[in-house]
Amino acid sequence: MAYWLFKSEPDVFSFDDLVKKGAAGQEWDGVRNYQARNNMRAMQLGDRGFFYHSNIGKEVVGIVEVAKLAHPDSTDDSGRWECVDLRAIRPIPKPYSLEAAKAEPRLEGMALVGNSRLSVQPVTESEWKLICELGGLDPASI
């Protein structure tokens, strides 16, 4: 299993909005960055990810799962852009902020810390476990 981080502005589409979509999940559409698109192309069904609220809050607030492999983005007329579908798994009991990640030496190499603008980012297994633990979750239970 691989791990990822998905960013969304909560006033546009929040973790609560994804929860409301239920088991069917939601197309992660509108991404217009080649690196982010390529990250989605690399995803497998069942990969887990952090749902990160950008701009407002700037924190990891939930756990998501890749529910559908990369496919054409329904909001793109050019045919260049692809996306995956995500479904919510559970909220993070203690949301984990960008500020805390930047202050945590064990996360200094994390993509979020070094490139906080990329909307879909890889997360290493050690980063995944640490953020889960600091957010109040047992990573083995997810």
Side-chain angles (χ1 to χ4, degrees):
M1 179 183 309
Y3 303 101
W4 307 93
L5 183 140
F6 300 87
K7 296 172 68 175
S8 182
E9 297 175 18
D11 57 335
V12 175
F13 189 79
S14 69
F15 183 71
D16 288 340
D17 293 328
L18 184 59
V19 168
K20 291 174 188 171
K21 298 292 182 177
Q26 169 71 34
E27 183 178 81
W28 198 252
D29 59 20
V31 175
R32 301 295 184 262
N33 174 285
Y34 287 105
Q35 188 176 0
R37 181 206 61 192
N38 292 344
N39 285 338
M40 288 190 283
R41 284 180 172 174
M43 293 175 187
Q44 298 298 315
L45 289 176
D47 279 359
R48 298 299 169 118
F50 291 126
F51 194 107
Y52 178 87
H53 281 168
S54 61
N55 294 345
I56 301 168
K58 295 185 180 179
E59 58 192 4
V60 173
V61 296
I63 304 292
V64 300
E65 176 181 54
V66 175
K68 187 175 179 183
L69 295 176
H71 56 85
D73 183 328
S74 67
T75 66
D76 171 43
D77 294 329
S78 73
R80 281 186 298 193
W81 303 106
E82 297 175 20
C83 62
V84 295
D85 288 15
L86 299 177
R87 74 173 137 248
I89 299 297
R90 64 177 300 165
I92 298 261
K94 296 184 289 188
Y96 193 75
S97 71
L98 175 60
E99 182 179 339
K102 287 182 173 184
E104 173 55 65
R106 294 172 289 179
L107 295 175
E108 68 182 354
M110 186 175 186
L112 179 65
V113 172
N115 183 5
S116 62
R117 293 188 52 85
L118 185 61
S119 62
V120 179
Q121 309 174 355
V123 173
T124 67
E125 185 174 359
S126 62
E127 293 163 350
W128 175 263
K129 288 179 179 178
L130 181 60
I131 291 175
C132 284
E133 290 168 0
L134 295 172
L137 293 175
D138 174 6
S141 71
I142 304 169

mmCIF file of all heavy atoms in Angstrom, residues 4-8 31-39 52 54 111-112 114-122:
data_model
loop_
_atom_site.group_PDB
_atom_site.id
_atom_site.type_symbol
_atom_site.label_atom_id
_atom_site.label_comp_id
_atom_site.label_asym_id
_atom_site.label_seq_id
_atom_site.Cartn_x
_atom_site.Cartn_y
_atom_site.Cartn_z
ATOM 1 N N TRP A 4 -0.662 8.851 0.529
ATOM 2 C CA TRP A 4 -0.742 10.102 -0.213
ATOM 3 C C TRP A 4 -1.320 11.194 0.666
ATOM 4 O O TRP A 4 -1.881 10.923 1.725
ATOM 5 C CB TRP A 4 -1.619 9.911 -1.456
ATOM 6 C CG TRP A 4 -1.182 8.754 -2.280
ATOM 7 C CD1 TRP A 4 -1.646 7.458 -2.203
ATOM 8 C CD2 TRP A 4 -0.161 8.742 -3.269
ATOM 9 N NE1 TRP A 4 -0.971 6.672 -3.099
ATOM 10 C CE2 TRP A 4 -0.055 7.428 -3.761
ATOM 11 C CE3 TRP A 4 0.692 9.731 -3.788
ATOM 12 C CZ2 TRP A 4 0.847 7.071 -4.759
ATOM 13 C CZ3 TRP A 4 1.583 9.374 -4.785
ATOM 14 C CH2 TRP A 4 1.659 8.056 -5.254
ATOM 15 N N LEU A 5 -1.257 12.414 0.184
ATOM 16 C CA LEU A 5 -1.907 13.549 0.828
ATOM 17 C C LEU A 5 -2.661 14.312 -0.253
ATOM 18 O O LEU A 5 -2.101 14.595 -1.314
ATOM 19 C CB LEU A 5 -0.871 14.455 1.502
ATOM 20 C CG LEU A 5 -1.451 15.639 2.280
ATOM 21 C CD1 LEU A 5 -0.685 15.851 3.579
ATOM 22 C CD2 LEU A 5 -1.409 16.912 1.452
ATOM 23 N N PHE A 6 -3.924 14.583 0.008
ATOM 24 C CA PHE A 6 -4.806 15.294 -0.924
ATOM 25 C C PHE A 6 -5.219 16.611 -0.283
ATOM 26 O O PHE A 6 -5.749 16.616 0.820
ATOM 27 C CB PHE A 6 -6.061 14.467 -1.217
ATOM 28 C CG PHE A 6 -5.763 13.137 -1.843
ATOM 29 C CD1 PHE A 6 -5.492 12.034 -1.057
ATOM 30 C CD2 PHE A 6 -5.759 12.990 -3.224
ATOM 31 C CE1 PHE A 6 -5.222 10.792 -1.627
ATOM 32 C CE2 PHE A 6 -5.490 11.764 -3.800
ATOM 33 C CZ PHE A 6 -5.213 10.661 -3.003
ATOM 34 N N LYS A 7 -4.997 17.699 -1.006
ATOM 35 C CA LYS A 7 -5.313 19.018 -0.467
ATOM 36 C C LYS A 7 -6.571 19.591 -1.099
ATOM 37 O O LYS A 7 -6.782 19.458 -2.302
ATOM 38 C CB LYS A 7 -4.141 19.965 -0.738
ATOM 39 C CG LYS A 7 -2.879 19.555 -0.029
ATOM 40 C CD LYS A 7 -1.712 20.378 -0.453
ATOM 41 C CE LYS A 7 -1.869 21.796 0.035
ATOM 42 N NZ LYS A 7 -0.694 22.614 -0.256
ATOM 43 N N SER A 8 -7.375 20.219 -0.265
ATOM 44 C CA SER A 8 -8.571 20.891 -0.743
ATOM 45 C C SER A 8 -8.876 22.085 0.156
ATOM 46 O O SER A 8 -8.663 22.021 1.365
ATOM 47 C CB SER A 8 -9.763 19.927 -0.729
ATOM 48 O OG SER A 8 -10.920 20.567 -1.237
ATOM 49 N N VAL A 31 -7.737 18.939 -10.764
ATOM 50 C CA VAL A 31 -6.289 19.064 -10.552
ATOM 51 C C VAL A 31 -5.640 19.357 -11.898
ATOM 52 O O VAL A 31 -5.808 18.601 -12.855
ATOM 53 C CB VAL A 31 -5.719 17.777 -9.922
ATOM 54 C CG1 VAL A 31 -4.203 17.863 -9.817
ATOM 55 C CG2 VAL A 31 -6.354 17.529 -8.562
ATOM 56 N N ARG A 32 -4.896 20.448 -11.959
ATOM 57 C CA ARG A 32 -4.261 20.868 -13.208
ATOM 58 C C ARG A 32 -2.757 21.085 -12.998
ATOM 59 O O ARG A 32 -2.210 22.129 -13.293
ATOM 60 C CB ARG A 32 -4.910 22.149 -13.761
ATOM 61 C CG ARG A 32 -6.392 22.019 -14.049
ATOM 62 C CD ARG A 32 -6.672 21.016 -15.156
ATOM 63 N NE ARG A 32 -8.080 20.949 -15.510
ATOM 64 C CZ ARG A 32 -8.927 20.043 -15.065
ATOM 65 N NH1 ARG A 32 -8.520 19.116 -14.194
ATOM 66 N NH2 ARG A 32 -10.185 20.029 -15.454
ATOM 67 N N ASN A 33 -2.115 20.056 -12.497
ATOM 68 C CA ASN A 33 -0.673 20.059 -12.280
ATOM 69 C C ASN A 33 -0.169 18.687 -12.710
ATOM 70 O O ASN A 33 -0.712 17.670 -12.278
ATOM 71 C CB ASN A 33 -0.374 20.330 -10.800
ATOM 72 C CG ASN A 33 1.093 20.198 -10.463
ATOM 73 O OD1 ASN A 33 1.611 19.091 -10.373
ATOM 74 N ND2 ASN A 33 1.747 21.325 -10.269
ATOM 75 N N TYR A 34 0.859 18.658 -13.560
ATOM 76 C CA TYR A 34 1.331 17.385 -14.105
ATOM 77 C C TYR A 34 1.870 16.450 -13.032
ATOM 78 O O TYR A 34 1.632 15.239 -13.075
ATOM 79 C CB TYR A 34 2.386 17.626 -15.199
ATOM 80 C CG TYR A 34 1.780 18.145 -16.476
ATOM 81 C CD1 TYR A 34 1.916 19.479 -16.840
ATOM 82 C CD2 TYR A 34 1.052 17.308 -17.314
ATOM 83 C CE1 TYR A 34 1.348 19.965 -18.005
ATOM 84 C CE2 TYR A 34 0.471 17.782 -18.482
ATOM 85 C CZ TYR A 34 0.629 19.116 -18.825
ATOM 86 O OH TYR A 34 0.048 19.588 -19.970
ATOM 87 N N GLN A 35 2.608 16.981 -12.067
ATOM 88 C CA GLN A 35 3.156 16.131 -11.013
ATOM 89 C C GLN A 35 2.032 15.515 -10.179
ATOM 90 O O GLN A 35 2.055 14.326 -9.865
ATOM 91 C CB GLN A 35 4.111 16.935 -10.119
ATOM 92 C CG GLN A 35 4.855 16.084 -9.129
ATOM 93 C CD GLN A 35 5.868 16.893 -8.323
ATOM 94 O OE1 GLN A 35 6.017 18.107 -8.500
ATOM 95 N NE2 GLN A 35 6.573 16.225 -7.430
ATOM 96 N N ALA A 36 1.030 16.306 -9.844
ATOM 97 C CA ALA A 36 -0.118 15.791 -9.085
ATOM 98 C C ALA A 36 -0.875 14.747 -9.909
ATOM 99 O O ALA A 36 -1.272 13.702 -9.388
ATOM 100 C CB ALA A 36 -1.041 16.941 -8.681
ATOM 101 N N ARG A 37 -1.077 15.012 -11.209
ATOM 102 C CA ARG A 37 -1.742 14.037 -12.077
ATOM 103 C C ARG A 37 -0.952 12.736 -12.126
ATOM 104 O O ARG A 37 -1.509 11.646 -12.034
ATOM 105 C CB ARG A 37 -1.896 14.589 -13.492
ATOM 106 C CG ARG A 37 -2.601 13.603 -14.425
ATOM 107 C CD ARG A 37 -2.263 13.784 -15.875
ATOM 108 N NE ARG A 37 -0.850 13.605 -16.120
ATOM 109 C CZ ARG A 37 -0.257 13.939 -17.263
ATOM 110 N NH1 ARG A 37 -0.951 14.481 -18.239
ATOM 111 N NH2 ARG A 37 1.026 13.751 -17.433
ATOM 112 N N ASN A 38 0.363 12.827 -12.261
ATOM 113 C CA ASN A 38 1.194 11.633 -12.323
ATOM 114 C C ASN A 38 1.154 10.862 -11.009
ATOM 115 O O ASN A 38 1.186 9.630 -11.011
ATOM 116 C CB ASN A 38 2.622 11.995 -12.707
ATOM 117 C CG ASN A 38 2.711 12.491 -14.144
ATOM 118 O OD1 ASN A 38 1.799 12.297 -14.952
ATOM 119 N ND2 ASN A 38 3.802 13.152 -14.466
ATOM 120 N N ASN A 39 1.056 11.578 -9.896
ATOM 121 C CA ASN A 39 0.896 10.902 -8.604
ATOM 122 C C ASN A 39 -0.398 10.093 -8.595
ATOM 123 O O ASN A 39 -0.428 8.953 -8.130
ATOM 124 C CB ASN A 39 0.905 11.906 -7.455
ATOM 125 C CG ASN A 39 2.291 12.443 -7.157
ATOM 126 O OD1 ASN A 39 3.300 11.823 -7.495
ATOM 127 N ND2 ASN A 39 2.348 13.590 -6.508
ATOM 128 N N TYR A 52 -6.242 16.971 3.566
ATOM 129 C CA TYR A 52 -5.626 18.170 4.136
ATOM 130 C C TYR A 52 -6.438 19.397 3.738
ATOM 131 O O TYR A 52 -6.692 19.616 2.552
ATOM 132 C CB TYR A 52 -4.194 18.284 3.608
ATOM 133 C CG TYR A 52 -3.435 19.497 4.053
ATOM 134 C CD1 TYR A 52 -2.726 19.494 5.249
ATOM 135 C CD2 TYR A 52 -3.412 20.650 3.271
ATOM 136 C CE1 TYR A 52 -2.006 20.616 5.651
ATOM 137 C CE2 TYR A 52 -2.700 21.776 3.674
ATOM 138 C CZ TYR A 52 -2.001 21.743 4.862
ATOM 139 O OH TYR A 52 -1.293 22.851 5.268
ATOM 140 N N SER A 54 -6.455 23.038 3.006
ATOM 141 C CA SER A 54 -5.503 24.095 2.670
ATOM 142 C C SER A 54 -6.159 25.463 2.849
ATOM 143 O O SER A 54 -7.376 25.569 2.948
ATOM 144 C CB SER A 54 -5.010 23.923 1.240
ATOM 145 O OG SER A 54 -6.073 23.995 0.326
ATOM 146 N N ALA A 111 7.020 15.957 1.721
ATOM 147 C CA ALA A 111 6.641 16.834 0.607
ATOM 148 C C ALA A 111 5.822 18.028 1.084
ATOM 149 O O ALA A 111 6.028 19.149 0.630
ATOM 150 C CB ALA A 111 5.870 16.048 -0.448
ATOM 151 N N LEU A 112 4.917 17.820 2.027
ATOM 152 C CA LEU A 112 4.084 18.919 2.533
ATOM 153 C C LEU A 112 4.928 20.036 3.133
ATOM 154 O O LEU A 112 4.636 21.208 2.949
ATOM 155 C CB LEU A 112 3.098 18.398 3.586
ATOM 156 C CG LEU A 112 2.171 19.444 4.214
ATOM 157 C CD1 LEU A 112 1.220 20.020 3.179
ATOM 158 C CD2 LEU A 112 1.405 18.844 5.376
ATOM 159 N N GLY A 114 8.179 20.693 2.406
ATOM 160 C CA GLY A 114 9.054 21.315 1.414
ATOM 161 C C GLY A 114 8.342 21.895 0.210
ATOM 162 O O GLY A 114 8.855 22.789 -0.443
ATOM 163 N N ASN A 115 7.163 21.387 -0.121
ATOM 164 C CA ASN A 115 6.426 21.836 -1.298
ATOM 165 C C ASN A 115 4.945 21.872 -0.945
ATOM 166 O O ASN A 115 4.163 21.067 -1.448
ATOM 167 C CB ASN A 115 6.687 20.906 -2.492
ATOM 168 C CG ASN A 115 6.008 21.375 -3.756
ATOM 169 O OD1 ASN A 115 5.403 22.429 -3.807
ATOM 170 N ND2 ASN A 115 6.096 20.567 -4.800
ATOM 171 N N SER A 116 4.577 22.782 -0.102
ATOM 172 C CA SER A 116 3.210 22.794 0.419
ATOM 173 C C SER A 116 2.167 23.186 -0.626
ATOM 174 O O SER A 116 0.980 23.111 -0.365
ATOM 175 C CB SER A 116 3.109 23.712 1.635
ATOM 176 O OG SER A 116 3.423 25.037 1.279
ATOM 177 N N ARG A 117 2.575 23.563 -1.831
ATOM 178 C CA ARG A 117 1.603 23.969 -2.861
ATOM 179 C C ARG A 117 1.106 22.801 -3.704
ATOM 180 O O ARG A 117 0.049 22.896 -4.318
ATOM 181 C CB ARG A 117 2.211 25.049 -3.755
ATOM 182 C CG ARG A 117 2.456 26.348 -2.997
ATOM 183 C CD ARG A 117 2.874 27.476 -3.900
ATOM 184 N NE ARG A 117 1.996 27.700 -5.025
ATOM 185 C CZ ARG A 117 0.883 28.429 -5.016
ATOM 186 N NH1 ARG A 117 0.506 29.004 -3.903
ATOM 187 N NH2 ARG A 117 0.165 28.592 -6.098
ATOM 188 N N LEU A 118 1.842 21.689 -3.772
ATOM 189 C CA LEU A 118 1.432 20.554 -4.598
ATOM 190 C C LEU A 118 0.163 19.934 -4.012
ATOM 191 O O LEU A 118 0.125 19.562 -2.841
ATOM 192 C CB LEU A 118 2.556 19.527 -4.683
ATOM 193 C CG LEU A 118 2.324 18.343 -5.607
ATOM 194 C CD1 LEU A 118 2.139 18.792 -7.051
ATOM 195 C CD2 LEU A 118 3.487 17.368 -5.501
ATOM 196 N N SER A 119 -0.871 19.767 -4.844
ATOM 197 C CA SER A 119 -2.184 19.374 -4.336
ATOM 198 C C SER A 119 -2.355 17.881 -4.079
ATOM 199 O O SER A 119 -3.245 17.489 -3.326
ATOM 200 C CB SER A 119 -3.279 19.848 -5.295
ATOM 201 O OG SER A 119 -3.113 19.228 -6.555
ATOM 202 N N VAL A 120 -1.529 17.048 -4.696
ATOM 203 C CA VAL A 120 -1.564 15.601 -4.467
ATOM 204 C C VAL A 120 -0.122 15.155 -4.294
ATOM 205 O O VAL A 120 0.670 15.262 -5.229
ATOM 206 C CB VAL A 120 -2.235 14.845 -5.637
ATOM 207 C CG1 VAL A 120 -2.236 13.343 -5.374
ATOM 208 C CG2 VAL A 120 -3.656 15.343 -5.863
ATOM 209 N N GLN A 121 0.212 14.682 -3.091
ATOM 210 C CA GLN A 121 1.601 14.410 -2.737
ATOM 211 C C GLN A 121 1.790 13.008 -2.194
ATOM 212 O O GLN A 121 0.902 12.491 -1.511
ATOM 213 C CB GLN A 121 2.056 15.372 -1.631
ATOM 214 C CG GLN A 121 1.805 16.811 -1.890
ATOM 215 C CD GLN A 121 2.158 17.681 -0.686
ATOM 216 O OE1 GLN A 121 2.513 17.205 0.371
ATOM 217 N NE2 GLN A 121 2.050 18.981 -0.873
ATOM 218 N N PRO A 122 2.962 12.420 -2.441
ATOM 219 C CA PRO A 122 3.263 11.141 -1.794
ATOM 220 C C PRO A 122 3.601 11.360 -0.320
ATOM 221 O O PRO A 122 4.080 12.420 0.069
ATOM 222 C CB PRO A 122 4.487 10.630 -2.564
ATOM 223 C CG PRO A 122 5.143 11.871 -3.085
ATOM 224 C CD PRO A 122 4.031 12.864 -3.326
#
